[in-house]
Amino acid sequence: MSTASRHSRLARAATALMLTVALASSALAQEGPSSPPASSDGRPLFGAEFEFAGRGNRIPVWENQRFENYRAIMEQIRAHYGGQGEITKVEWKVPHPSGEGERTLFRAEYRDPQGRKWLLEPEYVASRGLDGYELVTPPMENSEELRRVLDRVQNSGLVREGLKSGVHVHVDGRRLVGPNGNATGLLNLINMHENMEPLLRRVMRPPLIDH
């Protein structure tokens, strides 16, 4: 997999993220005294989930996974924020796929200097096993900040695209309905999405597009 190919996929994800945030920003209803907080430039907060496989440490059986793999990837984010804060291991139990008993899963958590929590969780990316990772961002204000974080993770050599990799973008839509029940912003967003859907489909790979 070429470096140009990896960066092309990263550029598509970043472009889609900025389009989504811009779309919601343009559709916002007029703010009132009870409107939820937005970013410093008035745009809605957003978050994203990025799914990818490990490079050189593919783990088809979860029981063979090591937390060191999670720590190494999360360390790239910690380094972006000056090496401040700690990376912690969080465990929880889920029913075993065999239907017999439970098994223990774990994820890596990191709080950046702003107190925001980043998660790196197990994900299905190439098989029916938890063989990959999902990076869950905290609510963010600046898409360029996220782009720089993704560049660092991508260039670390620790990750690659999995067969089932995808990107989920979440935008805070609370301000789309005004304090007096004014839903103009929500209607604007629906109309703009209908008009821009062909562009969004060209930006993202069609098989990965969902609601």
Side-chain angles (χ1 to χ4, degrees), residues 54-81:
R55 177 173 293 277
N57 63 353
R58 182 172 177 270
I59 309 294
V61 179
W62 168 256
E63 284 69 21
N64 293 337
Q65 182 63 273
R66 299 181 302 158
F67 182 70
E68 286 75 11
N69 295 330
Y70 281 69
R71 180 183 295 278
I73 296 172
M74 188 66 88
E75 187 63 42
Q76 303 304 311
I77 300 173
R78 180 173 176 268
H80 174 80
Y81 292 105

mmCIF file of all heavy atoms in Angstrom, residues 54-81:
data_model
loop_
_atom_site.group_PDB
_atom_site.id
_atom_site.type_symbol
_atom_site.label_atom_id
_atom_site.label_comp_id
_atom_site.label_asym_id
_atom_site.label_seq_id
_atom_site.Cartn_x
_atom_site.Cartn_y
_atom_site.Cartn_z
ATOM 1 N N GLY A 54 -4.119 -2.972 12.477
ATOM 2 C CA GLY A 54 -2.740 -2.762 12.887
ATOM 3 C C GLY A 54 -1.796 -3.199 11.785
ATOM 4 O O GLY A 54 -2.069 -4.156 11.061
ATOM 5 N N ARG A 55 -0.703 -2.501 11.617
ATOM 6 C CA ARG A 55 0.286 -2.875 10.610
ATOM 7 C C ARG A 55 1.352 -3.757 11.264
ATOM 8 O O ARG A 55 2.050 -3.337 12.177
ATOM 9 C CB ARG A 55 0.932 -1.620 10.009
ATOM 10 C CG ARG A 55 2.033 -1.921 9.007
ATOM 11 C CD ARG A 55 2.506 -0.646 8.321
ATOM 12 N NE ARG A 55 1.452 -0.101 7.480
ATOM 13 C CZ ARG A 55 1.191 -0.516 6.233
ATOM 14 N NH1 ARG A 55 1.906 -1.501 5.710
ATOM 15 N NH2 ARG A 55 0.246 0.046 5.524
ATOM 16 N N GLY A 56 1.448 -4.993 10.789
ATOM 17 C CA GLY A 56 2.461 -5.902 11.304
ATOM 18 C C GLY A 56 2.077 -6.596 12.592
ATOM 19 O O GLY A 56 2.866 -7.366 13.143
ATOM 20 N N ASN A 57 0.852 -6.349 13.103
ATOM 21 C CA ASN A 57 0.450 -7.025 14.347
ATOM 22 C C ASN A 57 -1.018 -7.463 14.259
ATOM 23 O O ASN A 57 -1.770 -7.333 15.202
ATOM 24 C CB ASN A 57 0.663 -6.118 15.564
ATOM 25 C CG ASN A 57 -0.216 -4.863 15.509
ATOM 26 O OD1 ASN A 57 -0.877 -4.610 14.518
ATOM 27 N ND2 ASN A 57 -0.201 -4.094 16.584
ATOM 28 N N ARG A 58 -1.406 -7.980 13.076
ATOM 29 C CA ARG A 58 -2.783 -8.418 12.898
ATOM 30 C C ARG A 58 -3.099 -9.534 13.888
ATOM 31 O O ARG A 58 -2.387 -10.526 13.979
ATOM 32 C CB ARG A 58 -3.021 -8.910 11.476
ATOM 33 C CG ARG A 58 -4.457 -9.335 11.213
ATOM 34 C CD ARG A 58 -4.681 -9.640 9.739
ATOM 35 N NE ARG A 58 -6.043 -10.106 9.534
ATOM 36 C CZ ARG A 58 -6.406 -11.380 9.588
ATOM 37 N NH1 ARG A 58 -5.488 -12.311 9.836
ATOM 38 N NH2 ARG A 58 -7.654 -11.744 9.392
ATOM 39 N N ILE A 59 -4.170 -9.361 14.640
ATOM 40 C CA ILE A 59 -4.538 -10.310 15.698
ATOM 41 C C ILE A 59 -5.924 -10.875 15.383
ATOM 42 O O ILE A 59 -6.944 -10.274 15.720
ATOM 43 C CB ILE A 59 -4.558 -9.619 17.082
ATOM 44 C CG1 ILE A 59 -3.260 -8.853 17.329
ATOM 45 C CG2 ILE A 59 -4.815 -10.646 18.180
ATOM 46 C CD1 ILE A 59 -2.034 -9.715 17.458
ATOM 47 N N PRO A 60 -6.022 -12.018 14.703
ATOM 48 C CA PRO A 60 -7.346 -12.561 14.367
ATOM 49 C C PRO A 60 -8.090 -13.131 15.568
ATOM 50 O O PRO A 60 -9.311 -13.286 15.525
ATOM 51 C CB PRO A 60 -7.024 -13.647 13.339
ATOM 52 C CG PRO A 60 -5.627 -14.068 13.661
ATOM 53 C CD PRO A 60 -4.933 -12.832 14.140
ATOM 54 N N VAL A 61 -7.385 -13.465 16.627
ATOM 55 C CA VAL A 61 -8.009 -14.017 17.829
ATOM 56 C C VAL A 61 -7.807 -13.022 18.965
ATOM 57 O O VAL A 61 -6.670 -12.688 19.323
ATOM 58 C CB VAL A 61 -7.393 -15.385 18.218
ATOM 59 C CG1 VAL A 61 -8.047 -15.909 19.486
ATOM 60 C CG2 VAL A 61 -7.539 -16.375 17.074
ATOM 61 N N TRP A 62 -8.918 -12.519 19.520
ATOM 62 C CA TRP A 62 -8.824 -11.466 20.529
ATOM 63 C C TRP A 62 -7.944 -11.863 21.704
ATOM 64 O O TRP A 62 -7.190 -11.047 22.239
ATOM 65 C CB TRP A 62 -10.212 -11.075 21.036
ATOM 66 C CG TRP A 62 -10.156 -10.213 22.259
ATOM 67 C CD1 TRP A 62 -10.404 -10.571 23.546
ATOM 68 C CD2 TRP A 62 -9.772 -8.830 22.298
ATOM 69 N NE1 TRP A 62 -10.217 -9.508 24.398
ATOM 70 C CE2 TRP A 62 -9.818 -8.425 23.658
ATOM 71 C CE3 TRP A 62 -9.400 -7.901 21.328
ATOM 72 C CZ2 TRP A 62 -9.516 -7.129 24.057
ATOM 73 C CZ3 TRP A 62 -9.088 -6.612 21.732
ATOM 74 C CH2 TRP A 62 -9.146 -6.234 23.086
ATOM 75 N N GLU A 63 -8.022 -13.110 22.110
ATOM 76 C CA GLU A 63 -7.263 -13.551 23.277
ATOM 77 C C GLU A 63 -5.753 -13.394 23.083
ATOM 78 O O GLU A 63 -4.992 -13.428 24.048
ATOM 79 C CB GLU A 63 -7.604 -15.012 23.591
ATOM 80 C CG GLU A 63 -8.954 -15.209 24.276
ATOM 81 C CD GLU A 63 -10.147 -14.912 23.377
ATOM 82 O OE1 GLU A 63 -9.978 -14.931 22.128
ATOM 83 O OE2 GLU A 63 -11.246 -14.656 23.914
ATOM 84 N N ASN A 64 -5.310 -13.209 21.833
ATOM 85 C CA ASN A 64 -3.883 -13.010 21.575
ATOM 86 C C ASN A 64 -3.503 -11.524 21.512
ATOM 87 O O ASN A 64 -2.334 -11.191 21.302
ATOM 88 C CB ASN A 64 -3.487 -13.672 20.257
ATOM 89 C CG ASN A 64 -3.578 -15.189 20.324
ATOM 90 O OD1 ASN A 64 -3.524 -15.767 21.405
ATOM 91 N ND2 ASN A 64 -3.731 -15.830 19.179
ATOM 92 N N GLN A 65 -4.494 -10.654 21.661
ATOM 93 C CA GLN A 65 -4.217 -9.221 21.585
ATOM 94 C C GLN A 65 -3.478 -8.751 22.836
ATOM 95 O O GLN A 65 -3.688 -9.257 23.925
ATOM 96 C CB GLN A 65 -5.528 -8.449 21.435
ATOM 97 C CG GLN A 65 -5.390 -6.949 21.305
ATOM 98 C CD GLN A 65 -4.629 -6.510 20.078
ATOM 99 O OE1 GLN A 65 -3.392 -6.429 20.136
ATOM 100 N NE2 GLN A 65 -5.339 -6.222 18.995
ATOM 101 N N ARG A 66 -2.601 -7.773 22.639
ATOM 102 C CA ARG A 66 -1.825 -7.215 23.750
ATOM 103 C C ARG A 66 -2.132 -5.734 23.900
ATOM 104 O O ARG A 66 -2.268 -5.008 22.917
ATOM 105 C CB ARG A 66 -0.322 -7.413 23.508
ATOM 106 C CG ARG A 66 0.129 -8.869 23.402
ATOM 107 C CD ARG A 66 1.615 -8.923 23.184
ATOM 108 N NE ARG A 66 1.997 -8.177 21.970
ATOM 109 C CZ ARG A 66 3.219 -7.699 21.739
ATOM 110 N NH1 ARG A 66 4.171 -7.862 22.646
ATOM 111 N NH2 ARG A 66 3.490 -7.061 20.620
ATOM 112 N N PHE A 67 -2.163 -5.271 25.137
ATOM 113 C CA PHE A 67 -2.443 -3.862 25.375
ATOM 114 C C PHE A 67 -1.316 -2.985 24.839
ATOM 115 O O PHE A 67 -1.549 -1.817 24.489
ATOM 116 C CB PHE A 67 -2.643 -3.597 26.870
ATOM 117 C CG PHE A 67 -2.989 -2.173 27.177
ATOM 118 C CD1 PHE A 67 -4.225 -1.649 26.820
ATOM 119 C CD2 PHE A 67 -2.061 -1.339 27.810
ATOM 120 C CE1 PHE A 67 -4.537 -0.320 27.091
ATOM 121 C CE2 PHE A 67 -2.373 -0.013 28.080
ATOM 122 C CZ PHE A 67 -3.616 0.489 27.719
ATOM 123 N N GLU A 68 -0.111 -3.535 24.728
ATOM 124 C CA GLU A 68 1.008 -2.750 24.219
ATOM 125 C C GLU A 68 0.721 -2.224 22.819
ATOM 126 O O GLU A 68 1.189 -1.137 22.440
ATOM 127 C CB GLU A 68 2.286 -3.599 24.207
ATOM 128 C CG GLU A 68 2.897 -3.835 25.572
ATOM 129 C CD GLU A 68 2.120 -4.871 26.390
ATOM 130 O OE1 GLU A 68 1.236 -5.544 25.805
ATOM 131 O OE2 GLU A 68 2.396 -4.996 27.604
ATOM 132 N N ASN A 69 -0.047 -2.986 22.011
ATOM 133 C CA ASN A 69 -0.399 -2.524 20.673
ATOM 134 C C ASN A 69 -1.292 -1.281 20.754
ATOM 135 O O ASN A 69 -1.143 -0.337 19.976
ATOM 136 C CB ASN A 69 -1.111 -3.623 19.896
ATOM 137 C CG ASN A 69 -0.213 -4.824 19.637
ATOM 138 O OD1 ASN A 69 1.006 -4.682 19.520
ATOM 139 N ND2 ASN A 69 -0.806 -6.002 19.539
ATOM 140 N N TYR A 70 -2.218 -1.292 21.693
ATOM 141 C CA TYR A 70 -3.099 -0.142 21.895
ATOM 142 C C TYR A 70 -2.311 1.055 22.400
ATOM 143 O O TYR A 70 -2.508 2.187 21.963
ATOM 144 C CB TYR A 70 -4.202 -0.503 22.893
ATOM 145 C CG TYR A 70 -5.327 -1.308 22.293
ATOM 146 C CD1 TYR A 70 -5.135 -2.626 21.890
ATOM 147 C CD2 TYR A 70 -6.596 -0.755 22.117
ATOM 148 C CE1 TYR A 70 -6.153 -3.371 21.338
ATOM 149 C CE2 TYR A 70 -7.635 -1.488 21.563
ATOM 150 C CZ TYR A 70 -7.400 -2.804 21.177
ATOM 151 O OH TYR A 70 -8.405 -3.530 20.615
ATOM 152 N N ARG A 71 -1.431 0.794 23.342
ATOM 153 C CA ARG A 71 -0.647 1.886 23.923
ATOM 154 C C ARG A 71 0.221 2.552 22.855
ATOM 155 O O ARG A 71 0.343 3.791 22.829
ATOM 156 C CB ARG A 71 0.230 1.356 25.054
ATOM 157 C CG ARG A 71 1.089 2.447 25.707
ATOM 158 C CD ARG A 71 2.011 1.876 26.771
ATOM 159 N NE ARG A 71 1.268 1.324 27.885
ATOM 160 C CZ ARG A 71 0.776 2.048 28.875
ATOM 161 N NH1 ARG A 71 0.952 3.356 28.913
ATOM 162 N NH2 ARG A 71 0.117 1.465 29.863
ATOM 163 N N ALA A 72 0.820 1.765 21.970
ATOM 164 C CA ALA A 72 1.723 2.322 20.959
ATOM 165 C C ALA A 72 0.978 3.274 20.025
ATOM 166 O O ALA A 72 1.500 4.337 19.655
ATOM 167 C CB ALA A 72 2.367 1.194 20.163
ATOM 168 N N ILE A 73 -0.247 2.907 19.642
ATOM 169 C CA ILE A 73 -1.027 3.776 18.762
ATOM 170 C C ILE A 73 -1.482 5.028 19.512
ATOM 171 O O ILE A 73 -1.356 6.150 19.015
ATOM 172 C CB ILE A 73 -2.241 3.007 18.195
ATOM 173 C CG1 ILE A 73 -1.761 1.845 17.321
ATOM 174 C CG2 ILE A 73 -3.151 3.940 17.395
ATOM 175 C CD1 ILE A 73 -2.869 0.907 16.873
ATOM 176 N N MET A 74 -1.999 4.844 20.719
ATOM 177 C CA MET A 74 -2.462 5.988 21.498
ATOM 178 C C MET A 74 -1.305 6.915 21.862
ATOM 179 O O MET A 74 -1.500 8.126 22.045
ATOM 180 C CB MET A 74 -3.183 5.508 22.755
ATOM 181 C CG MET A 74 -3.877 6.614 23.532
ATOM 182 S SD MET A 74 -5.256 7.366 22.637
ATOM 183 C CE MET A 74 -6.609 6.273 23.150
ATOM 184 N N GLU A 75 -0.116 6.378 21.945
ATOM 185 C CA GLU A 75 1.055 7.192 22.261
ATOM 186 C C GLU A 75 1.290 8.257 21.192
ATOM 187 O O GLU A 75 1.830 9.334 21.482
ATOM 188 C CB GLU A 75 2.296 6.311 22.398
ATOM 189 C CG GLU A 75 3.546 7.018 22.890
ATOM 190 C CD GLU A 75 3.387 7.581 24.299
ATOM 191 O OE1 GLU A 75 2.815 6.890 25.162
ATOM 192 O OE2 GLU A 75 3.841 8.736 24.524
ATOM 193 N N GLN A 76 0.868 7.989 19.958
ATOM 194 C CA GLN A 76 1.007 8.986 18.897
ATOM 195 C C GLN A 76 0.157 10.214 19.188
ATOM 196 O O GLN A 76 0.565 11.349 18.930
ATOM 197 C CB GLN A 76 0.606 8.373 17.546
ATOM 198 C CG GLN A 76 1.391 7.137 17.164
ATOM 199 C CD GLN A 76 2.878 7.394 17.150
ATOM 200 O OE1 GLN A 76 3.346 8.383 16.565
ATOM 201 N NE2 GLN A 76 3.642 6.529 17.793
ATOM 202 N N ILE A 77 -1.025 9.998 19.745
ATOM 203 C CA ILE A 77 -1.909 11.111 20.099
ATOM 204 C C ILE A 77 -1.351 11.855 21.303
ATOM 205 O O ILE A 77 -1.330 13.084 21.345
ATOM 206 C CB ILE A 77 -3.330 10.586 20.367
ATOM 207 C CG1 ILE A 77 -3.861 9.898 19.111
ATOM 208 C CG2 ILE A 77 -4.260 11.711 20.820
ATOM 209 C CD1 ILE A 77 -5.181 9.209 19.304
ATOM 210 N N ARG A 78 -0.880 11.090 22.274
ATOM 211 C CA ARG A 78 -0.278 11.709 23.467
ATOM 212 C C ARG A 78 0.912 12.581 23.063
ATOM 213 O O ARG A 78 1.092 13.688 23.582
ATOM 214 C CB ARG A 78 0.147 10.621 24.438
ATOM 215 C CG ARG A 78 0.794 11.119 25.723
ATOM 216 C CD ARG A 78 1.021 9.957 26.690
ATOM 217 N NE ARG A 78 1.714 10.376 27.880
ATOM 218 C CZ ARG A 78 3.041 10.351 28.030
ATOM 219 N NH1 ARG A 78 3.816 9.908 27.040
ATOM 220 N NH2 ARG A 78 3.599 10.745 29.152
ATOM 221 N N ALA A 79 1.735 12.081 22.125
ATOM 222 C CA ALA A 79 2.899 12.842 21.683
ATOM 223 C C ALA A 79 2.478 14.126 20.971
ATOM 224 O O ALA A 79 3.143 15.161 21.082
ATOM 225 C CB ALA A 79 3.764 11.987 20.757
ATOM 226 N N HIS A 80 1.368 14.079 20.246
ATOM 227 C CA HIS A 80 0.874 15.278 19.565
ATOM 228 C C HIS A 80 0.584 16.390 20.565
ATOM 229 O O HIS A 80 0.769 17.577 20.252
ATOM 230 C CB HIS A 80 -0.392 14.945 18.783
ATOM 231 C CG HIS A 80 -1.050 16.148 18.170
ATOM 232 N ND1 HIS A 80 -0.611 16.718 16.989
ATOM 233 C CD2 HIS A 80 -2.111 16.900 18.586
ATOM 234 C CE1 HIS A 80 -1.365 17.777 16.714
ATOM 235 N NE2 HIS A 80 -2.276 17.901 17.661
ATOM 236 N N TYR A 81 0.140 16.002 21.764
ATOM 237 C CA TYR A 81 -0.184 16.984 22.806
ATOM 238 C C TYR A 81 0.964 17.153 23.800
ATOM 239 O O TYR A 81 0.751 17.437 24.978
ATOM 240 C CB TYR A 81 -1.470 16.583 23.517
ATOM 241 C CG TYR A 81 -2.680 16.693 22.620
ATOM 242 C CD1 TYR A 81 -3.279 15.563 22.078
ATOM 243 C CD2 TYR A 81 -3.201 17.942 22.279
ATOM 244 C CE1 TYR A 81 -4.374 15.661 21.230
ATOM 245 C CE2 TYR A 81 -4.298 18.050 21.433
ATOM 246 C CZ TYR A 81 -4.874 16.912 20.904
ATOM 247 O OH TYR A 81 -5.949 17.016 20.058
#
